Amino acid sequence: MAARTTSGAAPRPRAGRNWAGNVRYAARRRHTPSTVDELRRLVAGSDRIRAVGTGHSFNRLGDTTGDLVSLAGLPPTVELDPERGTVTVAAGLRYGDLATRLHAQGYALANLASLPHISVAGAVAAGTHGSGDTHGNLATAVAALELVTADGDLLTVDRADDRFAGMVVNLGALGVVTRVTLDVVPTFDVRQYVRLGLPRDALDAAFASAYSVSAFTDWRSARLDQVWRKQRADQPPPPADWLGTTAAPAQRHPVPGVPAENCTQQLGVPGPWHERLPHFRLGFTPSSGDELQSEYHVARDVAAEALAALDAVADRIAAVLQICELRTIAADPLWLSPNHGRDSLAIHFTWVGDEAAVTPVVAAVEERLAPFAPRPHWGKVFGLDPAAAYPRHADFLALLRELDPAGKFRTELLDRYFPRP
Ligand SMILES: Cc1cc2nc3c(=O)[nH]c(=O)nc-3n(C[C@H](O)[C@H](O)[C@H](O)COP(=O)(O)OP(=O)(O)OC[C@H]3O[C@@H](n4cnc5c(N)ncnc54)[C@H](O)[C@@H]3O)c2cc1C
């Protein structure tokens, strides 16, 4: 776990690599424009270009062999529209920075991922999610997008546009998103309780019990090790014998043995939404820091069978696992969303940071999950071809042809999953 400092504070990212360090960017040149006009000229003049966010993906989704552009140099604008119930933000802004500013003005986002360190555009482009039976992933909060398209033009699309559902989870393949409009709600407080030893057959009841729920397992015991129950502050606390669990007596980290100081406040202490919904605190290393991640979304109605199928390879999973997290996400209409058209269970694996050891286990997991039409997280480690699991695959291909006819934003990864005609 070399990347974690003793204080838990976030270390500097490794130059030229993604956050995890497993991808060395292949880009010829890197750019950080300071105005949208500069960005437009850059896109218009490049034959191969791609945006990168904060680099928290575990694969080459945010890489190119051409020009790699970060929006971190653009002004971090946040424009609230209380009448419409939206906020329009600079696409490169991190959720954590946005959340602090929104909360100060009395507003909130409905949900957040486990970490606040990621950029809005990068998270949305990859279909990033939090948890909650009634919450869609983060992309479902998007009401409009502004993007620089292949010819350098500025295009704005909103929910009234027929193409919109295909453009939100865009894998960075349709242009460089410059501004994102998100739905907001009035700010709210949350209490987070950690419970220990949940029987697997009580999972659905646990997920349904609160605003946002995560369950963690090491695949070594029949019970789930921890349940993180993030509930509205005015909801009563879980009773002492809640679903056969016991209360954690102190703060916990999801990964056994890692100090909990990196984690958001637990033990039922109320606090604002953005300091409870993520598991990890801004300014500290999220998760363990030395790791790979994979994640598969399956439909809720086959979730129990999918988990049972993984029991057959539990020993192999456990041998290279730091922790496995289970979360729920509501169905949405977005074409490339892992939650397209189906309420989902997301089965997430935080692996050890050893690619050679992890790759065969990822293959074994995919083999066991294959009967359940798994959709891998676009930004994590996977081997399977995701195309078949997306009914709007052909429509996205048509969108690629329309908005990027020369393949300026394409990459080897895109060509593999969305072959050129
Ligand atoms: C510790 C840790 C915890 C995580 N927890 C979660 C979690 O709780 N839930 C979850 O779903 N995922 C999680 N992830 C995965 C991560 O959130 C996603 O991979 C997300 O995409 C990362 O955002 P980013 O800004 O780093 O994007 P990047 O990795 O930089 O890029 C991702 C994609 O977005 C595109 N992109 C970036 N900026 C733009 C732009 N301006 N215009 C167009 N395209 C753009 C890139 O081209 C690329 O295709 C976690 C990752 C880590 C490291």
Side-chain angles (χ1 to χ4, degrees):
M1 313 215 170
R4 197 172 65 247
T5 63
T6 47
S7 69
R12 288 163 61 91
R14 287 156 273 205
R17 288 180 180 265
N18 64 339
W19 175 85
N22 66 315
V23 171
R24 183 188 290 279
Y25 292 120
R28 278 194 307 255
R29 289 174 296 271
R30 295 180 69 108
H31 308 267
T32 312
S34 51
T35 66
V36 172
D37 281 345
E38 195 186 328
L39 171 67
R40 292 176 63 184
R41 284 194 296 275
L42 188 64
V43 173
S46 174
D47 61 347
R48 191 153 275 254
I49 189 163
R50 178 154 270 261
V52 66
T54 55
H56 283 77
S57 295
F58 291 84
N59 58 23
R60 294 205 169 272
L61 195 61
D63 191 22
T64 174
T65 50
D67 296 291
L68 194 63
V69 57
S70 159
L71 301 194
L74 292 181
T77 51
V78 173
E79 294 157 20
L80 192 64
D81 184 338
E83 266 175 38
R84 290 205 166 137
T86 59
V87 65
T88 299
V89 306
L93 205 63
R94 298 184 306 171
Y95 271 98
D97 299 319
L98 167 61
T100 311
R101 292 171 66 177
L102 264 185
H103 176 64
Q105 296 183 74
Y107 288 90
L109 300 171
N111 212 353
L112 291 170
S114 72
L115 76 175
H117 309 64
I118 50 179
S119 77
V120 173
V124 164
T128 298
H129 62 94
S131 191
D133 279 5
T134 59
H135 305 301
N137 65 36
L138 303 191
T140 62
V142 176
L145 291 174
E146 177 191 87
L147 66 162
V148 176
T149 52
D151 45 15
D153 284 349
L154 214 48
L155 171 69
T156 303
V157 283
D158 61 24
R159 287 178 176 137
D161 193 306
D162 285 346
R163 300 168 299 178
F164 183 72
M167 293 183 68
V168 183
V169 180
N170 56 50
L171 313 182
L174 301 177
V176 180
V177 174
T178 43
R179 279 152 58 93
V180 184
T181 301
L182 299 167
D183 296 331
V184 294
V185 295
T187 192
F188 56 98
D189 280 354
V190 174
R191 294 177 196 267
Q192 179 166 225
Y193 293 91
V194 175
R195 305 287 304 205
L196 309 176
L198 182 80
R200 200 193 275 177
D201 62 9
L203 250 182
D204 280 343
F207 284 131
S209 73
Y211 192 85
S212 174
V213 176
S214 289
F216 296 92
T217 173
D218 60 8
W219 286 96
R220 290 180 192 277
S221 63
R223 288 184 173 236
L224 295 140
D225 313 284
Q226 301 186 30
V227 181
W228 290 28
R229 193 178 125 136
K230 298 164 194 272
Q231 59 180 64
R232 288 260 189 183
D234 52 9
Q235 187 186 347
D241 59 350
W242 182 66
L243 298 177
T245 62
T246 57
Q251 287 267 129
R252 291 290 178 119
H253 192 286
V255 179
V258 176
E261 63 178 350
N262 300 15
C263 298
T264 49
Q265 174 70 54
Q266 302 160 14
L267 301 166
V269 179
W273 58 283
H274 62 293
E275 294 179 4
R276 298 293 181 276
L277 293 178
H279 303 333
F280 305 109
R281 293 160 64 194
L282 195 64
F284 286 75
T285 301
S287 196
S288 85
D290 181 12
E291 66 197 65
L292 295 170
Q293 295 185 9
S294 305
E295 187 165 35
Y296 301 91
H297 294 251
V298 296
R300 276 304 283 278
D301 52 13
V302 295
E305 290 101 305
L307 290 174
L310 290 177
D311 284 336
V313 288
D315 289 351
R316 294 185 65 192
I317 292 172
V320 291
L321 187 73
Q322 300 197 48
I323 199 65
C324 172
E325 179 176 9
L326 306 175
R327 287 176 281 184
T328 58
I329 306 101
D332 66 57
L334 306 175
W335 298 356
L336 292 190
S337 160
N339 315 109
H340 176 84
R342 60 192 206 192
D343 290 336
S344 308
L345 175 80
I347 309 171
H348 161 96
F349 302 90
T350 299
W351 307 113
V352 297
D354 177 348
E355 206 162 327
V358 166
T359 303
V361 181
V362 167
V365 165
E366 292 184 355
E367 197 186 324
R368 301 300 304 173
L369 290 181
F372 308 102
R375 292 178 181 153
H377 189 304
W378 290 108
K380 299 187 181 179
V381 174
F382 61 92
L384 59 81
D385 181 345
Y390 286 92
R392 305 299 296 266
H393 184 266
D395 296 318
F396 190 73
L397 258 176
L399 209 48
L400 283 172
R401 279 198 298 276
E402 178 195 336
L403 289 173
D404 186 21
K408 196 176 262 198
F409 298 110
R410 277 185 169 272
T411 62
E412 187 271 328
L413 197 138
L414 252 286
D415 283 345
R416 207 176 329 147
Y417 301 129
F418 299 92
R420 296 175 200 234

Short mmCIF file of all heavy atoms in Angstrom, two decimals, residues 16 32 70 81 85 97 126 133 156 178 200 203 213 239 282 295 315 349 366 409:
data_model
loop_
_atom_site.label_atom_id
_atom_site.label_comp_id
_atom_site.label_asym_id
_atom_site.label_seq_id
_atom_site.Cartn_x
_atom_site.Cartn_y
_atom_site.Cartn_z
N GLY A 16 2.22 11.55 -15.49
CA GLY A 16 2.01 10.79 -16.71
C GLY A 16 1.22 9.51 -16.53
O GLY A 16 1.11 8.71 -17.47
N THR A 32 -3.58 22.11 -21.23
CA THR A 32 -4.49 22.60 -20.20
C THR A 32 -4.95 24.00 -20.61
O THR A 32 -4.43 25.01 -20.12
CB THR A 32 -3.78 22.65 -18.82
OG1 THR A 32 -3.12 21.39 -18.61
CG2 THR A 32 -4.75 22.87 -17.68
N SER A 70 -6.86 18.46 -20.50
CA SER A 70 -7.49 18.57 -19.19
C SER A 70 -8.16 19.93 -19.09
O SER A 70 -7.63 20.93 -19.56
CB SER A 70 -6.42 18.44 -18.09
OG SER A 70 -6.90 19.02 -16.89
N ASP A 81 -29.36 27.97 -10.59
CA ASP A 81 -30.62 28.51 -11.10
C ASP A 81 -31.74 27.95 -10.21
O ASP A 81 -32.31 26.88 -10.50
CB ASP A 81 -30.81 28.08 -12.57
CG ASP A 81 -32.06 28.69 -13.20
OD1 ASP A 81 -32.97 29.09 -12.45
OD2 ASP A 81 -32.11 28.77 -14.43
N GLY A 85 -34.18 24.72 -10.58
CA GLY A 85 -33.67 23.64 -9.74
C GLY A 85 -32.46 22.97 -10.36
O GLY A 85 -32.32 21.73 -10.33
N ASP A 97 -15.55 19.81 -4.64
CA ASP A 97 -15.52 21.27 -4.66
C ASP A 97 -16.90 21.84 -4.98
O ASP A 97 -17.33 22.82 -4.38
CB ASP A 97 -14.48 21.76 -5.68
CG ASP A 97 -13.08 21.27 -5.32
OD1 ASP A 97 -12.75 21.29 -4.11
OD2 ASP A 97 -12.34 20.84 -6.22
N ALA A 126 -18.45 8.23 -17.75
CA ALA A 126 -18.21 6.81 -17.52
C ALA A 126 -19.36 6.11 -16.80
O ALA A 126 -19.27 4.93 -16.48
CB ALA A 126 -16.91 6.64 -16.73
N ASP A 133 -31.61 2.39 -3.65
CA ASP A 133 -32.64 1.73 -4.46
C ASP A 133 -33.38 2.71 -5.36
O ASP A 133 -33.79 2.36 -6.47
CB ASP A 133 -33.68 1.06 -3.55
CG ASP A 133 -33.22 -0.29 -3.04
OD1 ASP A 133 -32.06 -0.67 -3.33
OD2 ASP A 133 -34.02 -0.96 -2.35
N THR A 156 -24.81 22.67 -27.51
CA THR A 156 -25.51 22.47 -26.24
C THR A 156 -26.69 21.54 -26.48
O THR A 156 -27.44 21.73 -27.43
CB THR A 156 -26.02 23.83 -25.67
OG1 THR A 156 -24.91 24.70 -25.54
CG2 THR A 156 -26.65 23.64 -24.31
N THR A 178 -17.67 20.90 -21.84
CA THR A 178 -17.15 22.08 -21.16
C THR A 178 -18.01 22.52 -19.98
O THR A 178 -17.52 23.07 -19.01
CB THR A 178 -17.04 23.26 -22.15
OG1 THR A 178 -18.22 23.28 -22.94
CG2 THR A 178 -15.82 23.09 -23.04
N ARG A 200 -26.67 -12.82 4.09
CA ARG A 200 -26.87 -12.43 2.68
C ARG A 200 -28.36 -12.36 2.31
O ARG A 200 -28.75 -11.53 1.49
CB ARG A 200 -26.14 -13.40 1.75
CG ARG A 200 -25.92 -12.77 0.39
CD ARG A 200 -25.51 -13.78 -0.65
NE ARG A 200 -24.08 -14.01 -0.65
CZ ARG A 200 -23.50 -14.90 -1.45
NH1 ARG A 200 -24.21 -15.62 -2.29
NH2 ARG A 200 -22.20 -15.09 -1.39
N LEU A 203 -30.02 -8.94 2.44
CA LEU A 203 -29.46 -7.84 1.64
C LEU A 203 -30.54 -6.89 1.11
O LEU A 203 -30.42 -5.67 1.22
CB LEU A 203 -28.71 -8.40 0.44
CG LEU A 203 -27.18 -8.28 0.42
CD1 LEU A 203 -26.64 -8.87 -0.87
CD2 LEU A 203 -26.71 -6.86 0.62
N VAL A 213 -27.23 2.76 0.71
CA VAL A 213 -26.70 1.65 1.50
C VAL A 213 -25.62 0.93 0.71
O VAL A 213 -25.78 0.66 -0.49
CB VAL A 213 -27.83 0.65 1.87
CG1 VAL A 213 -27.27 -0.56 2.60
CG2 VAL A 213 -28.91 1.35 2.70
N PRO A 239 -32.57 -0.28 14.94
CA PRO A 239 -32.65 -0.89 16.27
C PRO A 239 -31.43 -1.76 16.56
O PRO A 239 -30.72 -2.16 15.63
CB PRO A 239 -33.92 -1.74 16.20
CG PRO A 239 -34.23 -1.88 14.75
CD PRO A 239 -33.61 -0.73 14.04
N LEU A 282 -12.56 14.23 1.07
CA LEU A 282 -11.73 15.02 0.15
C LEU A 282 -10.46 15.43 0.91
O LEU A 282 -10.52 15.76 2.07
CB LEU A 282 -12.52 16.26 -0.27
CG LEU A 282 -12.03 17.06 -1.47
CD1 LEU A 282 -12.09 16.24 -2.75
CD2 LEU A 282 -12.88 18.33 -1.64
N GLU A 295 -15.87 -3.82 -11.69
CA GLU A 295 -17.25 -3.76 -11.19
C GLU A 295 -18.21 -4.22 -12.28
O GLU A 295 -18.03 -3.89 -13.45
CB GLU A 295 -17.60 -2.34 -10.75
CG GLU A 295 -18.94 -2.23 -10.06
CD GLU A 295 -19.09 -0.91 -9.31
OE1 GLU A 295 -18.58 0.10 -9.80
OE2 GLU A 295 -19.73 -0.90 -8.25
N ASP A 315 -12.96 -18.51 -3.24
CA ASP A 315 -11.57 -18.64 -2.75
C ASP A 315 -10.61 -17.86 -3.63
O ASP A 315 -9.68 -17.21 -3.15
CB ASP A 315 -11.13 -20.10 -2.72
CG ASP A 315 -11.82 -20.87 -1.62
OD1 ASP A 315 -12.49 -20.20 -0.80
OD2 ASP A 315 -11.71 -22.10 -1.60
N PHE A 349 -15.24 -4.89 -7.01
CA PHE A 349 -14.08 -5.55 -6.40
C PHE A 349 -12.93 -4.55 -6.31
O PHE A 349 -12.50 -4.01 -7.32
CB PHE A 349 -13.62 -6.74 -7.25
CG PHE A 349 -14.69 -7.77 -7.47
CD1 PHE A 349 -15.55 -7.69 -8.56
CD2 PHE A 349 -14.86 -8.81 -6.56
CE1 PHE A 349 -16.55 -8.63 -8.76
CE2 PHE A 349 -15.87 -9.76 -6.75
CZ PHE A 349 -16.71 -9.67 -7.86
N GLU A 366 -15.91 -13.06 -14.61
CA GLU A 366 -16.72 -12.78 -15.81
C GLU A 366 -17.37 -14.05 -16.34
O GLU A 366 -18.51 -14.03 -16.82
CB GLU A 366 -15.85 -12.10 -16.88
CG GLU A 366 -15.45 -10.70 -16.43
CD GLU A 366 -14.67 -9.91 -17.47
OE1 GLU A 366 -14.34 -10.48 -18.54
OE2 GLU A 366 -14.39 -8.73 -17.21
N PHE A 409 -11.97 11.49 -31.77
CA PHE A 409 -12.02 11.16 -30.33
C PHE A 409 -11.91 9.66 -30.09
O PHE A 409 -12.04 9.21 -28.96
CB PHE A 409 -13.32 11.69 -29.71
CG PHE A 409 -13.46 13.18 -29.80
CD1 PHE A 409 -14.40 13.75 -30.64
CD2 PHE A 409 -12.63 14.01 -29.07
CE1 PHE A 409 -14.52 15.13 -30.74
CE2 PHE A 409 -12.73 15.39 -29.16
CZ PHE A 409 -13.69 15.95 -30.00
#
